[in-house]
Amino acid sequence: MELEQDSSLTLPLFLFDETLSERDLSTPDLSLSVLLDDDLLTQLCQNPAQDSSIAITIADYIIEAHNPAFADLTSEAHHAQLTLTHGPLLSAVLDTQSEQTFVSPQMDMMPTFDLGDEDE
């Protein structure tokens, strides 16, 4: 996964329960989208040491329901965070007011930068 400033990052979210390991990754319950502004991208450009992680709380994000059973969750209170682990690998966690937790699979990521070196 490539990360670019001022682009949108969208991660699939799955209900964290006993069926998680059997779920089809192409049919998430929800998706979380966040704009990669300068501050968030700076935080994501870290690579934690092995056996450690970095949690990044995000305030501005959009939740979209793909499974009709969770459509009401988009209007209730929730909070989200992104987690970086060594690799770097990126994942997301969403906790809802109704005490449900949704997680995304870990994804390889590589920030990209425009250094202005393009041929003219």
Side-chain angles (χ1 to χ4, degrees):
M1 164 188 319
E2 291 186 3
L3 303 180
E4 296 181 34
Q5 185 171 348
D6 298 326
S7 66
S8 180
L9 170 67
T10 302
L11 296 171
L13 295 172
F14 299 88
L15 180 64
F16 185 65
D17 65 6
E18 63 279 349
T19 66
L20 183 62
S21 63
E22 303 160 11
R23 299 290 307 272
D24 179 1
L25 294 180
S26 66
T27 56
D29 296 316
L30 306 169
S31 62
L32 178 142
S33 297
V34 61
L35 180 65
L36 295 172
D37 62 16
D38 188 43
D39 183 51
L40 182 56
L41 194 57
T42 299
Q43 293 180 60
L44 291 175
C45 286
Q46 303 175 71
N47 189 7
Q50 197 126 5
D51 299 327
S52 70
S53 64
I54 298 169
I56 303 166
T57 301
I58 51 176
D60 265 346
Y61 58 89
I62 298 171
I63 298 297
E64 183 180 347
H66 299 284
N67 182 335
F70 300 114
D72 292 343
L73 293 179
T74 59
S75 60
E76 76 176 43
H78 43 72
H79 67 277
Q81 77 176 28
L82 300 176
T83 304
L84 282 173
T85 54
H86 185 72
L89 299 172
L90 177 66
S91 61
V93 176
L94 177 81
D95 291 313
T96 67
Q97 182 179 359
S98 56
E99 298 184 7
Q100 291 177 301
T101 299
F102 293 83
V103 296
S104 74
Q106 287 188 325
M107 299 185 181
D108 289 322
M109 55 158 250
M110 179 57 67
T112 59
F113 302 96
D114 180 4
L115 300 175
D117 294 337
E118 293 181 19
D119 294 330
E120 296 180 24

